[in-house]
Amino acid sequence: MVLPSGFALPSLPYLAVVAAAVLAVGWLLVREAPPVTDRTVLAFAPWMVLGSTLYVCFQLDLYPDTVAPFFGSPTVYATTFTVAGATWLAARRTARPLLATAALGGVLAVFPTAAAVGYGLAHDTLTLAWPLSAVVAAAVIGHVAWWVVEQLRPDDVAAVGGAGALAVFAHVLDGTSTAVGVDVLGFGEQTPLSAAIMHAAAELPTASVIGVGWLFVLVKTALGAAVVLLLAEYVREDPVEGNLLLAVVAAVGLGPGAHNVLLFIAANPAGF
């Protein structure tokens, strides 16, 4: 298996609606061809978080049955793309399109986040300290990693800008949140490739002392920085496609990371 657990497509009617919406919004975006810069990638960071928070609510069974299939995995990311893309198109008619896009994404993310926290309060499973410590650790490690990259490859850092920094932080957050979930909170790893890294770490002498998550943090940090640097030349040659790829790289780190943090906050049976 290479797909994470919980990966399942909805029934055909839901799939048809989502596919049609994605194609329609995608076609409008291609026709309008808005500029894509590192600031554009940063503006969509709240939407990456939104998709993850919506999926957490799906896992917590908080949606009515009639709409729940739109928020399963991987459909939730197509649903989020549709709304985010439509928002971007509409925001381009305003004076500050990227600010408007980011602001709406941030506001929308508040609602599923609040619903998940409410679930934790209602079921006495709310856990704050350890999940939030993963965010703090990611901020520190991500900052140090980005500083090292700046010292080694300043020209590449200038090319990728804030989008590159976001991508590195995103993958560090995925690493630290996964480490906390596995080593401290007792959650299992849903992605087979990540689980394989954990298994490798479990075979090392350090497993009984510092756990297994440290290796995943190290791999994710190095991988995030390496991919960003590899994309720097592409960004210089084709800013639109290069920054779109950086957005994808950021999303596949920030999405799982934000998902882990909120799920651990809302649904840890032990509480803290």
Side-chain angles (χ1 to χ4, degrees), residues 74-245:
T75 314
V76 65
Y77 304 112
T79 302
T80 306
F81 166 81
T82 300
V83 180
T87 298
W88 189 19
L89 288 167
R92 282 177 50 76
R93 277 68 184 170
T94 68
R96 304 285 297 275
L98 293 182
L99 179 60
T101 300
L104 183 58
V107 169
L108 291 178
V110 169
F111 295 99
T113 299
V117 170
Y119 175 95
L121 287 170
H123 293 79
D124 197 26
T125 55
L126 193 69
T127 306
L128 292 176
W130 280 110
L132 293 180
S133 72
V135 179
V136 174
V140 174
I141 296 171
H143 180 78
V144 172
W146 193 241
W147 179 83
V148 171
V149 171
E150 283 182 317
Q151 306 310 305
L152 297 176
R153 304 280 287 273
D155 292 341
D156 290 339
V157 166
V160 296
L166 173 66
V168 171
F169 166 77
H171 283 272
V172 175
L173 178 63
D174 185 21
T176 58
S177 60
T178 299
V180 165
V182 171
D183 283 338
V184 180
L185 301 180
F187 283 86
E189 176 51 46
Q190 294 182 320
T191 305
L193 292 176
S194 303
I197 296 173
M198 300 293 186
H199 179 73
E203 300 298 318
L204 299 175
T206 55
S208 61
V209 180
I210 58 175
V212 299
W214 67 269
L215 182 60
F216 191 65
V217 175
L218 181 62
V219 169
K220 290 291 288 185
T221 302
L223 182 63
V227 172
V228 167
L229 290 176
L230 286 173
L231 287 175
E233 186 60 31
Y234 194 9
V235 173
R236 281 190 286 263
E237 293 177 356
D238 190 332
V240 172
E241 291 188 10
N243 280 303
L244 284 174
L245 280 176

